[in-house]
Amino acid sequence: MEKAGLALALGGGAARGWAHIGVLKVLDAAGIRPDIIAGTSIGAVVGGCYAAGKLDELENYARSLTLRSMIRQLDFTLPGSSFISGDRIARRLNQHLSHIRIEHLSPRFIAVATELGTGCEVWLNKGPLVPALQASYALPGILKPMRINGRWLMDGAFVNPVPVSVCRALGARYVIAVNLHNGMVSRSSHLPRQETVNAEEAYCDAVETASRGRLNPMRYLRRQLLGRKEQAPAITRVMLEAFNITQDRIARSRLAGDPPDLIVTPRLEGFGLFDFHKAGDAIARGEEIALRHIEDIVRAAKAAGAEARIAYPVAM
């Protein structure tokens, strides 16, 4: 197979993935354009928008999000296979990407998903772009799985959180990985906060609420999903944190077995997986880490044959 040059592997990490925008902006300012982008989950969203020439639109959308507007995106659905249908998010993507097919993109783009039931790793490299992105970020229980070519697909981070192996398989000469984890869950997972809870008061409060029977169903659902400070963690937080721990462990294992030529890890301590309304800070962290590694990135681009396009030093 002919070597493809420079490849980017953009990892999953929910809201932390806005940092990918910052990394790509620095590369773009340096005149470095990868030949391949493989993305998982939010990495697929950012990578797909970049390959489609829509990174600016995605950045504008991300920066416009507030906590209130983000909650409005949560189109709750019961009963079903998820709490959120994701239709509002899909409509937003379709506004800019509905006409785009993956095989027509340049650079070459691949979204990673996981097949429900078998656990097979699926590489989506053909067909409409938006359904592929939806499949790659379909977090089980939160967002509904996508049916593509007769297969139900969900979040690719369950099998390949940072898809270096995809870039290698496609013949990349040099692979740069952007990993949104850095063992961040390992410290907190062993040091739970010490809190006391009056179980009797909590029980009485629940009974009183149920007996009144006047709680708005949608308000109750939001409370269950988003939680309240004085109560136990909400369903979404429990599921996201469990997924985060799993993703971190799988990423460590796969990166150790198939390391990239260069790994870039933004400092994202303090960013929750659901903090989509903090895009400005996450993007800045992505820019910061990319600028810190810019000399290594430039050398990687030269090694991959891209030196003629490099504008360095970078003006941001």
Side-chain angles (χ1 to χ4, degrees), residues 43-274:
V45 175
V46 177
C49 288
Y50 173 82
K54 301 294 184 180
L55 189 66
D56 288 344
E57 288 84 348
L58 180 65
E59 180 181 1
N60 291 337
Y61 168 71
R63 289 184 182 275
S64 73
L65 288 174
T66 63
L67 185 57
R68 182 181 296 273
S69 65
M70 187 187 74
I71 292 175
R72 290 198 196 104
Q73 300 293 318
L74 307 181
D75 40 3
F76 301 110
T77 174
L78 286 176
S81 57
S82 63
F83 285 119
I84 303 167
S85 71
D87 292 340
R88 291 177 185 171
I89 300 172
R91 282 197 297 270
R92 190 71 185 230
L93 289 170
N94 273 310
Q95 287 178 11
H96 301 283
L97 306 172
S98 62
H99 61 291
I100 295 175
R101 295 182 64 84
I102 299 174
E103 60 267 32
H104 298 157
L105 293 175
S106 178
R108 190 173 181 183
F109 174 72
I110 301 91
V112 178
T114 304
E115 185 177 21
L116 191 65
T118 67
C120 289
E121 182 175 337
V122 178
W123 298 355
L124 298 166
N125 60 2
K126 293 181 181 178
L129 177 59
V130 172
L133 302 185
Q134 289 180 270
S136 189
Y137 67 65
L139 183 62
I142 305 296
L143 289 161
K144 64 182 180 182
M146 288 296 296
R147 189 171 179 83
I148 297 179
N149 296 330
R151 306 170 78 177
W152 285 105
L153 304 179
M154 61 181 183
D155 201 302
F158 279 102
V159 289
N160 202 346
V162 189
V164 174
S165 58
V166 179
C167 300
R168 299 285 189 208
L170 294 176
R173 184 176 296 133
Y174 204 101
V175 180
I176 299 174
V178 184
N179 180 21
L180 302 176
H181 297 264
N182 191 21
M184 288 184 290
V185 298
S186 60
R187 292 184 294 273
S188 61
S189 61
H190 295 297
L191 296 170
R193 290 188 304 170
Q194 298 299 314
E195 296 181 351
T196 57
V197 177
N198 189 320
E200 183 178 359
E201 288 181 4
Y203 174 76
C204 291
D205 179 66
V207 170
E208 182 182 358
T209 300
S211 64
R212 288 200 303 267
R214 292 194 297 269
L215 187 61
N216 182 283
M218 293 305 296
R219 184 178 300 170
Y220 175 75
L221 186 56
R222 286 193 180 96
R223 182 183 299 175
Q224 287 293 95
L225 289 172
L226 302 178
R228 297 173 67 182
K229 291 183 179 179
E230 70 273 14
Q231 294 180 344
I235 294 172
T236 49
R237 180 182 170 191
V238 173
M239 294 179 69
L240 285 170
E241 290 300 327
F243 175 65
N244 187 40
I245 293 169
T246 302
Q247 181 176 343
D248 177 68
R249 298 303 186 266
I250 295 172
R252 289 190 197 190
S253 175
R254 296 209 60 158
L255 288 172
D258 191 3
D261 297 286
L262 175 65
I263 187 164
V264 175
T265 306
R267 296 182 61 85
L268 295 168
E269 294 86 348
F271 283 87
L273 294 174
F274 215 60

